[in-house]
Amino acid sequence: MTDSLYLPAAHLRPAAITLPGSKSISNRTLLLAALSDNACRIENLLDADDTRHMLAALQSLGVHIERHSGGYTIHGCGGRFPQRQADLFLGNAGTAFRPLTAALALLGGDYRLHGVARMHERPIGDLVDALRQAGATIRYEGREGYPPLRINERQAGGRSRITVRGNVSSQFLTALLMALPLTGQEHEIEVQGELISKPYIDITLKLMAQFGIQVAHDSHRLFRLPESTRYHAPATLHVEGDASGASYFLAAGLLAATPVRVYGIGRHSIQGDTAFAAELEKIGAAVEWGENYIQVACRPGQCIRPFDLDANHIPDAAMTLAVVALASGARCSLRNIGSWRVKETDRIAAMAAELRKLGARVEEEAEAIHITPPPRLAANVRIDTYDDHRMAMCFSLVSLLGVPVYINDPQCVNKTFPDYFRLFESMRA
């Protein structure tokens, strides 16, 4: 790809897309398999930058990994990594950085974890504070509360009841849930404040159950992890398609009034971002749910309705709705999206800046964004993507609204969806 990708105004033909593996499931599964006491064959693992960082880190920690046609076999280490010392570069992969921090901190050793400049701007202090309650020894190498991190041996006598704030990133709670069983002790995790992105915690709990550990909880407020547990992997695990990645194609079906079907997720998916299709249905989409697919089109004669949505349950997929708002003809609001501020970029600020280039009136709040579409979109706008894969994929949809658009730095999609633009362009009529 070039430094800028031109997308002409386009119509779509009816299309069927097979999704790559879910990033959230892929990196959780890799870590759980590595910590298990047996081998696990993982099929449909996402092949993208974030999973490559996790695979490289696990290999640096001494995990034996075999690659074969259709996936990988991970030979688990029985809850203890062979390498007790490592320097791990994790790019901007939050789904690798946070869980590995927790696992290594509770196992103890001599580890350094770092990433790209943006990763060093993403807060991790709440996770570190929680791990220190459990006896972990972690220090910051730079700014307090942010990576890079240095991990040393865990101290004896950590608390059995851990508290963690829930309103910054659900990945902190996911990291604790996955790592605390490694201690062999019984623990409780109390979430302080509102827990954002609960569906991502449900993914964690369902995957942990597949690896032999059941976690009880009281309405996502207090989690109870039993003692003397160990991870035991299923012989084979198939990774679902990426539901967040599906949002762009499903929205395309609505915007282009053309049936678009995505394979790899369905009515029984464990990913909360499948709820994106239900939100599209509320604003005018015709949605069909199958066992292994979701299809979206526009209802005949139905205009896209404006919306005012609390998007806490679908924070990543909600970004796609910010572009869909341009076709609604009236003011739209996305609320309870404060987590956008600490993602690959400050997504509220970035989204506002790029929508304004197209002529939209945008109001920013600390945890919300309000979008009023213009009577006519500006053509040939150059969209900056801020090294954020979701910005690039979201704004590709502008080309379905009657105007051409340029996407700067399109290769940033390699973080989670390297084939995105090839698949998107294959849908053109």
Short mmCIF file of all heavy atoms in Angstrom, two decimals, residues 244-278:
data_model
loop_
_atom_site.label_atom_id
_atom_site.label_comp_id
_atom_site.label_asym_id
_atom_site.label_seq_id
_atom_site.Cartn_x
_atom_site.Cartn_y
_atom_site.Cartn_z
N SER A 244 -15.67 -6.98 15.92
CA SER A 244 -15.41 -5.55 15.74
C SER A 244 -15.10 -5.27 14.28
O SER A 244 -15.58 -4.29 13.69
CB SER A 244 -14.24 -5.11 16.62
OG SER A 244 -14.52 -5.35 17.98
N GLY A 245 -14.31 -6.13 13.66
CA GLY A 245 -14.01 -5.99 12.24
C GLY A 245 -15.23 -6.15 11.36
O GLY A 245 -15.32 -5.55 10.28
N ALA A 246 -16.18 -6.94 11.82
CA ALA A 246 -17.42 -7.13 11.06
C ALA A 246 -18.22 -5.85 10.95
O ALA A 246 -18.98 -5.67 10.00
CB ALA A 246 -18.28 -8.22 11.71
N SER A 247 -18.05 -4.94 11.91
CA SER A 247 -18.91 -3.74 11.95
C SER A 247 -18.81 -2.92 10.68
O SER A 247 -19.80 -2.33 10.23
CB SER A 247 -18.57 -2.89 13.17
OG SER A 247 -17.31 -2.25 13.04
N TYR A 248 -17.63 -2.87 10.05
CA TYR A 248 -17.46 -2.04 8.86
C TYR A 248 -18.25 -2.61 7.69
O TYR A 248 -18.88 -1.87 6.93
CB TYR A 248 -15.97 -1.93 8.51
CG TYR A 248 -15.14 -1.66 9.74
CD1 TYR A 248 -14.27 -2.62 10.25
CD2 TYR A 248 -15.26 -0.45 10.43
CE1 TYR A 248 -13.54 -2.40 11.39
CE2 TYR A 248 -14.53 -0.22 11.58
CZ TYR A 248 -13.67 -1.21 12.07
OH TYR A 248 -12.97 -0.98 13.22
N PHE A 249 -18.24 -3.92 7.55
CA PHE A 249 -18.95 -4.55 6.44
C PHE A 249 -20.47 -4.54 6.68
O PHE A 249 -21.25 -4.35 5.75
CB PHE A 249 -18.44 -5.98 6.25
CG PHE A 249 -16.98 -6.04 5.93
CD1 PHE A 249 -16.07 -6.45 6.88
CD2 PHE A 249 -16.51 -5.64 4.69
CE1 PHE A 249 -14.71 -6.49 6.60
CE2 PHE A 249 -15.15 -5.67 4.39
CZ PHE A 249 -14.25 -6.09 5.35
N LEU A 250 -20.87 -4.73 7.93
CA LEU A 250 -22.30 -4.68 8.24
C LEU A 250 -22.84 -3.27 8.01
O LEU A 250 -23.93 -3.09 7.44
CB LEU A 250 -22.54 -5.12 9.68
CG LEU A 250 -22.16 -6.58 10.00
CD1 LEU A 250 -22.37 -6.88 11.47
CD2 LEU A 250 -22.96 -7.56 9.14
N ALA A 251 -22.08 -2.27 8.44
CA ALA A 251 -22.51 -0.89 8.19
C ALA A 251 -22.54 -0.59 6.70
O ALA A 251 -23.41 0.14 6.23
CB ALA A 251 -21.57 0.07 8.91
N ALA A 252 -21.61 -1.19 5.94
CA ALA A 252 -21.60 -0.98 4.49
C ALA A 252 -22.89 -1.49 3.86
O ALA A 252 -23.44 -0.86 2.95
CB ALA A 252 -20.40 -1.70 3.87
N GLY A 253 -23.41 -2.62 4.36
CA GLY A 253 -24.67 -3.13 3.84
C GLY A 253 -25.82 -2.17 4.05
O GLY A 253 -26.68 -2.00 3.18
N LEU A 254 -25.82 -1.50 5.20
CA LEU A 254 -26.87 -0.51 5.48
C LEU A 254 -26.68 0.75 4.63
O LEU A 254 -27.62 1.23 4.00
CB LEU A 254 -26.85 -0.15 6.97
CG LEU A 254 -27.80 0.97 7.42
CD1 LEU A 254 -29.25 0.60 7.12
CD2 LEU A 254 -27.61 1.28 8.89
N LEU A 255 -25.46 1.27 4.60
CA LEU A 255 -25.20 2.53 3.89
C LEU A 255 -25.40 2.39 2.39
O LEU A 255 -25.87 3.31 1.72
CB LEU A 255 -23.79 3.02 4.19
CG LEU A 255 -23.50 3.45 5.63
CD1 LEU A 255 -22.02 3.76 5.81
CD2 LEU A 255 -24.35 4.64 6.02
N ALA A 256 -25.03 1.21 1.85
CA ALA A 256 -25.12 1.00 0.41
C ALA A 256 -26.43 0.35 -0.01
O ALA A 256 -26.65 0.12 -1.20
CB ALA A 256 -23.95 0.13 -0.06
N ALA A 257 -27.31 0.07 0.97
CA ALA A 257 -28.60 -0.57 0.70
C ALA A 257 -28.41 -1.85 -0.13
O ALA A 257 -29.17 -2.13 -1.06
CB ALA A 257 -29.54 0.40 -0.01
N THR A 258 -27.40 -2.63 0.25
CA THR A 258 -27.04 -3.86 -0.46
C THR A 258 -26.78 -4.95 0.56
O THR A 258 -26.06 -4.71 1.54
CB THR A 258 -25.76 -3.63 -1.30
OG1 THR A 258 -26.00 -2.59 -2.24
CG2 THR A 258 -25.37 -4.89 -2.05
N PRO A 259 -27.30 -6.15 0.37
CA PRO A 259 -27.05 -7.21 1.35
C PRO A 259 -25.56 -7.54 1.46
O PRO A 259 -24.90 -7.82 0.46
CB PRO A 259 -27.84 -8.40 0.80
CG PRO A 259 -28.85 -7.81 -0.10
CD PRO A 259 -28.21 -6.60 -0.69
N VAL A 260 -25.04 -7.49 2.68
CA VAL A 260 -23.67 -7.89 2.96
C VAL A 260 -23.71 -8.90 4.10
O VAL A 260 -24.29 -8.63 5.16
CB VAL A 260 -22.78 -6.69 3.35
CG1 VAL A 260 -21.40 -7.17 3.77
CG2 VAL A 260 -22.68 -5.70 2.18
N ARG A 261 -23.11 -10.04 3.87
CA ARG A 261 -23.09 -11.12 4.86
C ARG A 261 -21.66 -11.34 5.33
O ARG A 261 -20.73 -11.40 4.51
CB ARG A 261 -23.66 -12.41 4.25
CG ARG A 261 -23.64 -13.60 5.20
CD ARG A 261 -24.32 -14.82 4.57
NE ARG A 261 -25.76 -14.60 4.42
CZ ARG A 261 -26.62 -15.58 4.13
NH1 ARG A 261 -26.20 -16.82 3.95
NH2 ARG A 261 -27.91 -15.30 4.02
N VAL A 262 -21.47 -11.45 6.64
CA VAL A 262 -20.15 -11.76 7.20
C VAL A 262 -20.20 -13.13 7.85
O VAL A 262 -21.12 -13.45 8.62
CB VAL A 262 -19.68 -10.69 8.21
CG1 VAL A 262 -19.46 -9.36 7.52
CG2 VAL A 262 -20.65 -10.54 9.36
N TYR A 263 -19.22 -13.96 7.51
CA TYR A 263 -19.11 -15.31 8.07
C TYR A 263 -18.05 -15.34 9.16
O TYR A 263 -17.03 -14.66 9.08
CB TYR A 263 -18.74 -16.31 6.98
CG TYR A 263 -19.87 -16.65 6.04
CD1 TYR A 263 -19.96 -16.06 4.79
CD2 TYR A 263 -20.85 -17.57 6.41
CE1 TYR A 263 -20.99 -16.36 3.92
CE2 TYR A 263 -21.90 -17.89 5.55
CZ TYR A 263 -21.96 -17.28 4.30
OH TYR A 263 -23.00 -17.58 3.46
N GLY A 264 -18.29 -16.13 10.19
CA GLY A 264 -17.35 -16.29 11.28
C GLY A 264 -17.92 -15.91 12.63
O GLY A 264 -17.34 -16.21 13.67
N ILE A 265 -19.07 -15.22 12.62
CA ILE A 265 -19.81 -14.91 13.84
C ILE A 265 -21.29 -15.20 13.57
O ILE A 265 -21.70 -15.32 12.41
CB ILE A 265 -19.64 -13.44 14.28
CG1 ILE A 265 -20.00 -12.49 13.14
CG2 ILE A 265 -18.23 -13.18 14.79
CD1 ILE A 265 -19.97 -11.02 13.50
N GLY A 266 -22.07 -15.31 14.64
CA GLY A 266 -23.49 -15.60 14.46
C GLY A 266 -24.25 -15.39 15.74
O GLY A 266 -23.76 -14.75 16.68
N ARG A 267 -25.43 -15.97 15.79
CA ARG A 267 -26.32 -15.70 16.93
C ARG A 267 -25.76 -16.21 18.26
O ARG A 267 -26.19 -15.75 19.32
CB ARG A 267 -27.70 -16.30 16.67
CG ARG A 267 -27.72 -17.81 16.51
CD ARG A 267 -29.16 -18.34 16.54
NE ARG A 267 -29.96 -17.82 15.45
CZ ARG A 267 -30.20 -18.46 14.32
NH1 ARG A 267 -29.67 -19.66 14.10
NH2 ARG A 267 -30.97 -17.93 13.39
N HIS A 268 -24.80 -17.15 18.23
CA HIS A 268 -24.27 -17.69 19.48
C HIS A 268 -22.84 -17.22 19.75
O HIS A 268 -22.14 -17.81 20.58
CB HIS A 268 -24.32 -19.22 19.46
CG HIS A 268 -25.70 -19.77 19.30
ND1 HIS A 268 -26.72 -19.49 20.18
CD2 HIS A 268 -26.24 -20.57 18.34
CE1 HIS A 268 -27.83 -20.10 19.79
NE2 HIS A 268 -27.57 -20.75 18.68
N SER A 269 -22.40 -16.19 19.08
CA SER A 269 -21.05 -15.67 19.28
C SER A 269 -20.83 -15.24 20.74
O SER A 269 -21.75 -14.76 21.40
CB SER A 269 -20.81 -14.47 18.36
OG SER A 269 -19.59 -13.82 18.67
N ILE A 270 -19.60 -15.41 21.22
CA ILE A 270 -19.29 -14.98 22.59
C ILE A 270 -18.83 -13.52 22.63
O ILE A 270 -18.54 -13.01 23.70
CB ILE A 270 -18.21 -15.88 23.24
CG1 ILE A 270 -16.84 -15.69 22.56
CG2 ILE A 270 -18.64 -17.33 23.24
CD1 ILE A 270 -15.70 -16.40 23.28
N GLN A 271 -18.79 -12.85 21.48
CA GLN A 271 -18.32 -11.48 21.43
C GLN A 271 -19.47 -10.47 21.54
O GLN A 271 -20.43 -10.53 20.77
CB GLN A 271 -17.56 -11.22 20.13
CG GLN A 271 -16.29 -12.05 19.98
CD GLN A 271 -15.72 -11.89 18.59
OE1 GLN A 271 -15.07 -10.89 18.28
NE2 GLN A 271 -15.95 -12.88 17.75
N GLY A 272 -19.31 -9.55 22.45
CA GLY A 272 -20.35 -8.55 22.65
C GLY A 272 -20.55 -7.61 21.48
O GLY A 272 -21.63 -7.05 21.32
N ASP A 273 -19.51 -7.46 20.63
CA ASP A 273 -19.65 -6.52 19.52
C ASP A 273 -20.62 -6.99 18.45
O ASP A 273 -20.95 -6.22 17.53
CB ASP A 273 -18.28 -6.23 18.89
CG ASP A 273 -17.58 -5.06 19.58
OD1 ASP A 273 -18.18 -4.47 20.49
OD2 ASP A 273 -16.43 -4.75 19.21
N THR A 274 -21.12 -8.23 18.55
CA THR A 274 -22.19 -8.62 17.64
C THR A 274 -23.45 -7.79 17.90
O THR A 274 -24.33 -7.70 17.03
CB THR A 274 -22.52 -10.12 17.76
OG1 THR A 274 -22.86 -10.41 19.13
CG2 THR A 274 -21.35 -10.99 17.32
N ALA A 275 -23.53 -7.16 19.07
CA ALA A 275 -24.67 -6.29 19.37
C ALA A 275 -24.70 -5.08 18.43
O ALA A 275 -25.74 -4.40 18.35
CB ALA A 275 -24.59 -5.81 20.82
N PHE A 276 -23.61 -4.83 17.74
CA PHE A 276 -23.60 -3.75 16.75
C PHE A 276 -24.70 -3.96 15.71
O PHE A 276 -25.36 -3.00 15.29
CB PHE A 276 -22.23 -3.68 16.07
CG PHE A 276 -22.12 -2.65 14.98
CD1 PHE A 276 -21.90 -1.33 15.28
CD2 PHE A 276 -22.26 -3.02 13.65
CE1 PHE A 276 -21.80 -0.37 14.27
CE2 PHE A 276 -22.16 -2.08 12.64
CZ PHE A 276 -21.93 -0.75 12.95
N ALA A 277 -24.90 -5.21 15.30
CA ALA A 277 -25.94 -5.49 14.30
C ALA A 277 -27.32 -5.13 14.84
O ALA A 277 -28.18 -4.63 14.10
CB ALA A 277 -25.88 -6.96 13.88
N ALA A 278 -27.53 -5.40 16.12
CA ALA A 278 -28.82 -5.05 16.73
C ALA A 278 -29.02 -3.53 16.75
O ALA A 278 -30.14 -3.03 16.58
CB ALA A 278 -28.90 -5.62 18.14
#
